[in-house]
Amino acid sequence: MFFIDPMSRTPIYEQIRSQLESLILAGILREGDRIPSVRSLSVELSVTPVTVLKAFAELDSSHIISSVPGRGYFVCEGAREALSAQRRALLDEVERISKQLAAASIDIEDVLSRVRLAYDSNKRKEESK
Amino acid sequence: MFFIDPMSRTPIYEQIRSQLESLILAGILREGDRIPSVRSLSVELSVTPVTVLKAFAELDSSHIISSVPGRGYFVCEGAREALSAQRRALLDEVERISKQLAAASIDIEDVLSRVRLAYDSNKRKEESK
Amino acid sequence: MFFIDPMSRTPIYEQIRSQLESLILAGILREGDRIPSVRSLSVELSVTPVTVLKAFAELDSSHIISSVPGRGYFVCEGAREALSAQRRALLDEVERISKQLAAASIDIEDVLSRVRLAYDSNKRKEESK
Amino acid sequence: MFFIDPMSRTPIYEQIRSQLESLILAGILREGDRIPSVRSLSVELSVTPVTVLKAFAELDSSHIISSVPGRGYFVCEGAREALSAQRRALLDEVERISKQLAAASIDIEDVLSRVRLAYDSNKRKEESK
DNA sequence: GTGGTCTAGACCACG
DNA sequence: GTGGTCTAGACCACG
């Protein structure tokens, strides 16, 4: 269900968070569903429980999942909608700022290269390439 | 010195502001220089003085130029640095948001196309005219 | 400058966060000020750097302080106002819900005791009492 | 069966709703029971039928009671459980927020007084009358 | 069993 | 030097 790349420059907890988000967006994890326990997932992924917990805590603070101590983590009401709204908002923000940059006559290539830079810094440097 | 495209979707006062900014960034207009008067510029560009004034007022409120009643508008101390800081800040913001989008596994093409969309919406499609 | 009680039931990172908030609200730490480094504070308080970092990371995600990797953490623009707004909002929420409870004829003592319960669960159990 | 205080600052329809809720919670009105008609209740309480209807409509939209056109309003399946769940949820919310306030070192008295304020604003000061 | 906090220490990138 | 991630493992409360 989960796959992490320990060599990636994206921190492991971000990879876990991102995959949980995708599972919720895809409707595989639904409102009220219990998600795998911190410990079981840490075993499955061969990482320490603290790393899994960090991913869960971030989603908890965005009200995407909710912790019930002693019972586990559960997908919140409206989590899916919240996630798509979040993503739409980020893309809208990119557009809004890009309009300002266009108005300031900044070369579009400068903007595009910044986006690529951000994505690259998030990716593994593949030595074999 | 100035060129405006009355057919552009970018408001004329934005075009004027953007060109003044470029002249300051390029070092053509320097700290303390007097910039063309509202009246003369409105004649030169064949636009109403109100439009020119709007551009000046925006730059005034960002402390890029400053009005000296009865004498005209002058380029502020540190205007050039302020402008480059502004532009750097916007580009930094693009990068920051792009990192979030990367972390959320949003396809980079979705982001790039939003940037292009913003730039396109700022341009007049000249071919179709 | 800082004092933590390792015996308290309030986690150490919450104590650190709360004290930083108080210093900002009191105007002792101001916008743009650099706050003590993670490592120096961990030495001063005799806790691990990870615990200090957890406190800082929470304040970072609320835009109260901001990390500049390689240079340290700094108090954000508007941090003080944001903190007081936060606190006002929480108290307003208590009042709003209390009105609903009053309208539902819930005994006020049931409500007050819930508040006390929350506060008690946050405090040290004093055995000596 | 019903008592309303026309002098209270709590709207009359809230009083009616609250009393219906109490009757259901107390088990006096049970699932499937027919509740008094809008018309008879408006006469009994000397209020306009519109006020009674407003109380019923609110309970209807929370699926506590349900209208059967031409026959009257009936208590829904599970109404009692739904009501206690609602009340528990509100009290849980008070506790949750109180924990945040405690963590932020807000004086407990500030919180308690907000609760009392909400209850007081809901009551008519009878002595001053 | 569940989540949650903390330690001690390694290691990384960046300036 | 700065922040930031991760491990391995101890220990806690709660159910």
Side-chain angles (χ1 to χ4, degrees):
Chain A
M1 195 156 167
F2 284 88
F3 172 77
I4 63 155
D5 174 5
M7 287 305 136
S8 164
R9 289 181 59 148
T10 305
I12 295 169
Y13 72 86
E14 293 274 16
Q15 297 182 43
I16 296 171
R17 184 168 64 75
S18 163
Q19 290 189 44
L20 274 169
E21 287 178 359
S22 299
L23 289 170
I24 292 168
L25 277 166
I28 296 167
L29 285 175
R30 312 175 100 98
E31 296 188 354
D33 283 358
R34 186 173 173 283
I35 67 180
S37 81
V38 171
R39 272 165 176 76
S40 67
L41 198 53
S42 79
V43 170
E44 183 185 338
L45 301 176
S46 310
V47 298
T48 106
V50 174
T51 300
V52 177
L53 188 63
K54 193 164 180 181
F56 286 15
E58 284 195 354
L59 288 168
D60 193 347
S61 76
S62 330
H63 302 112
I64 300 303
I65 63 179
S66 164
S67 121
V68 183
R71 297 200 46 230
Y73 277 88
F74 297 81
V75 177
C76 291
E77 296 275 308
R80 191 179 181 176
E81 290 69 33
L83 282 174
S84 12
Q86 242 175 53
R87 302 201 162 183
R88 257 181 284 116
L90 282 177
L91 284 170
D92 286 352
E93 215 174 328
V94 165
E95 195 178 328
R96 189 182 55 77
I97 297 169
S98 296
K99 277 180 183 159
Q100 289 181 47
L101 288 163
S105 305
I106 308 281
D107 189 330
I108 189 172
E109 278 311 320
D110 292 347
V111 187
L112 297 176
S113 71
R114 280 297 191 105
V115 174
R116 294 197 190 94
L117 187 70
Y119 269 79
D120 286 347
S121 85
N122 226 18
K123 254 189 260 148
R124 157 172 208 177
K125 287 186 169 149
E126 296 165 54
E127 310 82 342
S128 59
K129 211 173 63 177
Chain B
M1 196 158 166
F2 282 88
F3 171 77
I4 64 154
D5 173 6
M7 290 303 143
S8 163
R9 289 181 55 167
T10 305
I12 292 170
Y13 71 88
E14 292 274 14
Q15 294 183 46
I16 297 171
R17 183 167 65 75
S18 164
Q19 290 188 46
L20 276 168
E21 286 177 0
S22 298
L23 290 170
I24 293 167
L25 278 165
I28 297 168
L29 285 175
R30 311 174 101 99
E31 295 186 357
D33 282 358
R34 186 172 173 284
I35 64 178
S37 76
V38 170
R39 206 165 292 272
S40 68
L41 200 53
S42 77
V43 171
E44 178 184 339
L45 301 175
S46 311
V47 298
T48 116
V50 176
T51 301
V52 177
L53 190 62
K54 192 163 179 184
F56 285 16
E58 284 195 355
L59 288 167
D60 194 346
S61 75
S62 333
H63 307 294
I64 300 303
I65 64 177
S66 162
S67 125
V68 180
R71 299 201 41 232
Y73 280 87
F74 295 81
V75 177
C76 291
E77 294 272 309
R80 192 179 181 176
E81 292 67 34
L83 283 174
S84 15
Q86 251 175 45
R87 303 201 163 183
R88 257 181 285 115
L90 282 177
L91 283 170
D92 285 352
E93 216 175 326
V94 165
E95 195 177 330
R96 189 182 57 78
I97 297 168
S98 296
K99 276 181 183 160
Q100 289 181 49
L101 289 161
S105 305
I106 309 281
D107 190 329
I108 189 172
E109 279 311 320
D110 292 346
V111 187
L112 297 175
S113 71
R114 280 299 190 104
V115 175
R116 295 196 190 96
L117 187 70
Y119 269 79
D120 287 348
S121 85
N122 225 19
K123 257 189 255 147
R124 178 77 186 175
K125 299 274 187 290
E126 334 246 329
E127 307 81 351
S128 62
K129 208 172 61 177
Chain C
M1 195 156 167
F2 283 88
F3 173 76
I4 63 155
D5 174 6
M7 288 303 136
S8 164
R9 289 182 57 152
T10 305
I12 294 170
Y13 71 87
E14 293 274 15
Q15 295 181 45
I16 296 171
R17 185 169 63 75
S18 164
Q19 289 188 45
L20 273 170
E21 287 179 358
S22 298
L23 289 169
I24 292 167
L25 278 166
I28 295 168
L29 286 174
R30 313 176 99 101
E31 295 187 356
D33 283 357
R34 188 174 172 280
I35 65 179
S37 80
V38 171
R39 272 165 175 77
S40 67
L41 197 53
S42 80
V43 170
E44 184 185 338
L45 300 176
S46 309
V47 299
T48 108
V50 175
T51 300
V52 176
L53 187 64
K54 193 164 180 179
F56 286 14
E58 284 196 354
L59 287 168
D60 194 347
S61 76
S62 330
H63 303 112
I64 300 304
I65 64 179
S66 165
S67 120
V68 183
R71 298 201 44 230
Y73 277 90
F74 296 81
V75 177
C76 290
E77 296 275 309
R80 191 178 182 177
E81 292 67 36
L83 282 174
S84 12
Q86 240 176 55
R87 302 201 162 184
R88 257 181 284 115
L90 282 177
L91 284 170
D92 287 352
E93 215 175 329
V94 166
E95 195 177 328
R96 189 182 55 76
I97 298 168
S98 296
K99 276 180 182 161
Q100 289 182 48
L101 288 162
S105 305
I106 308 281
D107 189 329
I108 188 174
E109 279 312 320
D110 291 348
V111 187
L112 298 175
S113 71
R114 280 298 192 105
V115 174
R116 294 197 190 94
L117 187 69
Y119 269 79
D120 287 348
S121 85
N122 225 17
K123 254 190 258 148
R124 159 173 206 173
K125 288 187 169 146
E126 297 165 54
E127 312 81 341
S128 60
K129 209 171 66 178
Chain D
M1 195 158 167
F2 282 89
F3 171 76
I4 63 154
D5 174 6
M7 291 302 144
S8 163
R9 290 181 53 168
T10 306
I12 291 169
Y13 71 87
E14 292 273 14
Q15 295 183 45
I16 297 172
R17 184 168 64 76
S18 164
Q19 288 188 46
L20 275 168
E21 287 178 359
S22 298
L23 289 169
I24 292 167
L25 278 166
I28 295 168
L29 285 174
R30 311 174 103 100
E31 294 186 358
D33 283 359
R34 186 172 174 283
I35 64 178
S37 76
V38 171
R39 205 165 292 272
S40 68
L41 200 53
S42 77
V43 171
E44 178 183 338
L45 301 176
S46 311
V47 298
T48 115
V50 175
T51 300
V52 176
L53 190 62
K54 191 164 181 182
F56 285 16
E58 284 196 354
L59 288 167
D60 194 347
S61 75
S62 333
H63 305 296
I64 301 302
I65 64 178
S66 162
S67 125
V68 182
R71 298 200 41 233
Y73 280 87
F74 295 81
V75 176
C76 291
E77 295 274 308
R80 192 178 182 178
E81 291 66 36
L83 283 174
S84 14
Q86 250 174 46
R87 303 202 162 183
R88 256 182 286 116
L90 282 177
L91 283 169
D92 286 352
E93 215 174 328
V94 166
E95 195 177 329
R96 189 182 58 77
I97 298 168
S98 297
K99 276 181 182 159
Q100 289 183 48
L101 289 162
S105 305
I106 308 279
D107 190 329
I108 188 174
E109 279 311 320
D110 293 347
V111 187
L112 297 176
S113 71
R114 280 299 191 102
V115 174
R116 294 197 189 95
L117 187 69
Y119 270 80
D120 286 349
S121 85
N122 224 20
K123 257 189 255 144
R124 177 78 185 174
K125 298 276 187 290
E126 334 248 326
E127 306 83 348
S128 62
K129 208 173 63 180

